[in-house]
């Protein structure tokens, strides 16, 4: 890191804080803080959804996969998410803003109280929130480790710097600050990614390397499927990504809830899917070329950092590092906003009766306090990660195991086809998915480990989600749920509501 690189990184952090302070003027109540008042343009929502969908792990763990396995990374990750977003654009995304329009919800779990009942909502809210703080803490640590590799900054200071900047702009500006910083971060990583792409092409001999380099890569790196990344592996992650990127991951649901209409949310989902289709081809190209440019690396997960060091002049290294920060900060800030919404609107009113009568301004203050507390607590966990020993990794693992079982009743509860699946189905699917996760990880894990790697992934990652889905549908068939208020909610989210959406939006603009 040369002085110019430090100047670029420092300038990046200053800009993020300035954006947060500017966004504060747009926030007047809790609805503005958590859902941008339902006024977020579709293109901004789409870019923010894309930026909030992955962290700097892409440049470490995924760089290793690109180095050792090649093009299959694009197939199972980027193409899978693209397909998930196209499906979600018509099934799920338009229904999220209609929840805000018809019920005034500002939390992705708020509607579950009507759709199922209060105990179901609280079970999903508490189980997801309690573990999410550890997941975000791990992300701070991962980002701080990148700063340590690039610049030798101690991990503790890395956590304080990245977390502290995010804490300021997220607490002050809410969702508006999150999405506007996402836009700035998108532009930064766009420039950094294109510069490294061009530098890699120049090193390989020109633009023709785009189609000629594949024959020089290790055997299998040019194939659609390679190693453990088989058709079965891809299909498992296709299911996971469909649930996660369409709202099963709460911060991504917030982007759709903030859209002014169902059609705007659909366009946002399609834009995000389009970015996943195109941008990774540029972003991953230097990583795919790394076996040629940096042969026989002992640690393939360092390939992206080493490519940056070898191919870019000073100043641009700082830009790339800012791009790495941008992904994790985008994801963690949006996580904090979504969790704070769940705490403010779902958890606290259930345990403290006085919170049910909070005004919009009071809710705003409470939302800011909970956002601050969540980020601060996650930073404290990151700073004391060593004292947790294996517990931190265990909690993060369990969070991953909970995502699918929580997402099943959340997302399928929006669809008319599952209107007969009630609270019993939701709780049973959550419990059974968790049980399958525990069995596959701790009871029969030895036997599973003897199978092929793609089958291990299918059983341990896909098993809990598939079992949750089966139980949710089966219980709904055996014990059908009939509740007039729940049915009216599902009907109000249907496609025939689009016309009302457009009229409402047109009237608002007039």
């Amino acid at each position: 890191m040369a002085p110019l690189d430090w100047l670029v990184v420092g300038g990046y952090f200053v800009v993020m804080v300035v954006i947060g302070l500017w966004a504060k003027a747009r926030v007047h109540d809790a609805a503005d803080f958590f859902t941008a008042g339902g006024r977020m343009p579709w293109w901004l929502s789409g870019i923010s959804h894309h930026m909030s969908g992955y962290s700097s792990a892409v440049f470490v763990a995924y760089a290793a996969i690109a180095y050792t396995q090649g093009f299959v990374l694009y197939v199972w990750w980027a193409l899978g998410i693209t397909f998930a977003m196209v499906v979600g654009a018509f099934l799920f995304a338009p229904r999220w803003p209609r929840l805000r329009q018809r019920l005034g919800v500002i939390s992705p779990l708020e509607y579950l109280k009507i759709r199922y009942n209060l105990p179901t909502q609280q079970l999903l809210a508490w189980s997801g929130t309690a573990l999410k703080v550890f997941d975000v803490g791990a992300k701070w640590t991962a980002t701080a480790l990148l700063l340590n590799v690039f610049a030798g900054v101690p991990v503790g200071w890395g956590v304080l710097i990245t977390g502290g900047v995010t804490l300021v702009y997220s607490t002050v500006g809410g969702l508006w600050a999150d999405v506007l910083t996402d836009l700035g971060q998108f532009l930064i990583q766009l420039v950094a990614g294109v510069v490294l792409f061009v530098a890699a092409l120049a090193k390989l001999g020109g633009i023709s390397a785009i189609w000629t380099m594949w024959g020089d890569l290790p055997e299998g790196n040019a194939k659609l499927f390679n190693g453990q990344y088989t058709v079965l592996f891809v299909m498992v992650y296709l299911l996971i990504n469909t649930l996660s990127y369409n709202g099963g991951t709460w911060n991504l649901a917030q982007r759709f809830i903030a859209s002014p209409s169902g059609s705007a949310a659909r366009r946002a989902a399609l834009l995000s899917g389009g970015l996943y289709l195109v941008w990774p081809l540029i972003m991953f190209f230097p990583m795919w070329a790394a076996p040629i440019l940096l042969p026989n690396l002992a640690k393939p997960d360092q390939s992206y950092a080493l490519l940056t060091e070898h191919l870019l002049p000073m100043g641009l290294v700082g830009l790339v590092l800012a791009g790495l920060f941008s992904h994790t900060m985008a994801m963690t800030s949006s996580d904090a906003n979504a969790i704070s919404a769940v705490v403010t609107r779902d958890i606290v009113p259930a345990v403290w009766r006085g919170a049910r009568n909070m005004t919009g301004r009071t809710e705003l203050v409470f939302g800011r306090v909970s956002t601050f507390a969540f980020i601060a607590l996650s930073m404290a966990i990151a700073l004391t990660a060593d004292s947790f020993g294996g517990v931190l990794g265990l909690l993060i693992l369990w969070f991953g195991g909970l995502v699918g079982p929580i997402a099943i009743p959340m997302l399928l509860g929006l669809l008319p086809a599952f209107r007969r699946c009630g609270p019993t189905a939701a709780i049973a699917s959550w419990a059974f998915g968790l049980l399958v996760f525990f069995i596959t990880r701790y009871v029969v894990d030895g036997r599973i480990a003897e199978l092929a790697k793609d089958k291990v992934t299918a059983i341990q990652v896909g098993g809990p989600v598939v079992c949750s889905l089966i139980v949710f549908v089966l219980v709904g068939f055996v014990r059908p749920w009939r509740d007039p208020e729940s049915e009216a909610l599902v009907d109000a989210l249907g496609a025939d509501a689009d016309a009302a959406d457009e009229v409402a939006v047109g009237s608002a603009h007039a």
Side-chain angles (χ1 to χ4, degrees):
M1 290 280 286
L4 183 58
D5 295 311
W6 278 112
L7 184 63
V8 171
V9 172
Y12 162 77
F13 285 135
V14 170
V15 169
M16 295 302 103
V17 172
V18 169
I19 290 175
L21 295 174
W22 179 85
K24 183 178 183 294
R26 303 177 67 96
V27 178
H28 305 289
D29 56 25
D32 290 334
F33 190 80
F34 293 121
T35 65
R39 302 187 304 271
M40 190 183 298
W42 66 269
W43 57 269
L44 185 56
S45 178
I47 290 174
S48 180
H49 183 281
H50 175 80
M51 286 298 295
S52 299
Y54 55 102
S55 69
S56 54
V58 165
F59 305 99
V60 182
Y62 287 10
I65 297 173
Y67 190 95
T68 57
Q69 305 296 331
F71 190 76
V72 68
L73 172 62
Y74 177 78
V75 175
W76 77 260
W77 185 72
L79 275 185
I81 297 174
T82 299
F83 180 84
M85 295 315 302
V86 171
V87 171
F90 296 93
L91 275 184
F92 301 111
R95 287 177 163 82
W96 285 115
R98 292 173 193 153
L99 285 172
R100 176 184 50 76
Q101 291 174 316
R102 285 145 180 77
L103 299 178
V105 306
I106 60 177
S107 152
L109 300 188
E110 198 170 346
Y111 91 100
L112 297 179
K113 181 179 177 181
I114 298 175
R115 176 59 180 86
Y116 300 112
N117 57 23
L118 181 61
T120 303
Q121 180 207 42
Q122 291 299 296
L123 175 67
L124 300 182
W126 280 96
S127 59
T129 301
L131 293 180
K132 187 62 178 177
V133 66
F134 293 95
D135 176 64
V136 172
K139 289 171 184 171
W140 293 133
T141 302
T143 306
L145 287 171
L146 281 174
L147 184 58
N148 178 261
V149 170
F150 269 88
V153 175
V155 172
W157 280 105
V159 170
L160 290 173
I161 292 170
T162 56
V165 171
T166 307
L167 186 147
V168 171
Y169 75 72
S170 291
T171 301
V172 171
L175 189 64
W176 273 121
D178 290 346
V179 297
L180 290 172
T181 52
D182 286 350
L183 176 61
Q185 291 158 353
F186 173 75
L187 296 175
I188 289 171
Q189 64 111 30
L190 181 67
V191 173
V194 169
V195 167
L196 192 58
F197 172 74
V198 172
L201 282 180
K203 194 73 172 179
L204 292 168
I207 196 169
S208 62
I210 294 175
W211 56 86
T212 60
M213 76 163 187
W214 300 98
D216 299 326
L217 293 175
E219 184 179 356
N221 276 30
K223 294 180 179 179
L224 296 179
F225 305 99
N226 189 22
Q228 73 179 78
Y229 303 100
T230 63
V231 174
L232 177 61
F233 184 100
V234 171
M235 294 304 294
V236 167
Y237 269 90
L238 183 60
L239 173 61
I240 300 293
N241 289 334
T242 300
L243 294 172
S244 177
Y245 283 81
N246 284 297
T249 301
W250 301 347
N251 62 313
L252 300 181
Q254 289 290 93
R255 271 63 190 156
F256 297 136
I257 294 174
S259 298
S261 69
S263 58
R266 180 181 295 115
R267 290 195 294 270
L270 291 174
L271 173 59
S272 181
L275 290 173
Y276 277 108
L277 179 67
V278 176
W279 175 241
L281 292 172
I282 297 172
M283 181 172 66
F284 288 151
F285 183 82
M287 305 182 202
W288 288 325
I292 300 172
L293 300 173
L294 301 169
N296 304 316
L297 278 183
K299 296 181 178 180
D301 58 352
Q302 295 182 359
S303 61
Y304 192 83
L306 292 173
L307 283 169
T308 300
E309 178 184 335
H310 282 77
L311 298 180
L312 298 182
M314 65 177 183
L316 291 181
V317 174
L319 186 66
V320 169
L321 183 57
L324 298 184
F325 285 144
S326 69
H327 285 285
T328 297
M329 292 174 71
M331 179 175 278
T332 51
S333 63
S334 60
D335 279 338
N337 187 268
I339 294 296
S340 180
V342 171
V343 171
T344 303
R345 290 297 287 259
D346 303 325
I347 292 178
V348 172
V351 298
W352 177 38
R353 187 170 298 179
R356 301 170 194 173
N357 301 317
M358 285 193 297
T359 64
R361 294 289 296 179
T362 305
E363 273 192 326
L364 172 59
V365 173
F366 195 93
R368 282 186 166 137
V369 170
S370 58
T371 300
F372 182 95
F374 175 83
I375 296 177
L377 181 58
S378 66
M379 290 171 60
I381 289 171
L383 290 170
T384 58
D386 291 342
S387 64
F388 283 89
V391 176
L392 182 58
L394 183 65
L395 290 168
I396 295 167
L397 180 67
W398 275 80
F399 174 79
L402 275 170
V403 169
I406 290 176
I408 293 291
M410 262 189 70
L411 288 177
L412 300 190
L414 297 169
L415 305 180
F418 301 94
R419 68 171 69 238
R420 297 300 175 215
C421 299
T424 303
I427 293 174
S429 68
W430 175 91
F432 200 78
L434 206 56
L435 177 63
V436 172
F437 173 79
F438 176 80
I439 291 172
T440 56
R441 286 286 181 176
Y442 302 108
V443 179
V444 296
D445 55 317
R447 293 184 179 181
I448 293 174
E450 297 173 359
L451 302 174
K453 287 187 177 181
D454 62 329
K455 293 183 174 61
V456 173
T457 300
I459 294 172
Q460 292 189 331
V461 177
V465 181
V466 172
C467 289
S468 282
L469 176 60
I470 292 173
V471 169
F472 186 75
V473 174
L474 188 61
V475 173
F477 179 77
V478 174
R479 295 190 60 182
W481 166 254
R482 288 180 173 85
D483 180 81
E485 193 175 12
S486 177
E487 292 187 24
L489 166 63
V490 174
D491 291 337
L493 304 179
D496 60 345
D498 259 342
D501 286 344
E502 297 302 334
V503 171
V505 174
S507 300
H509 288 312

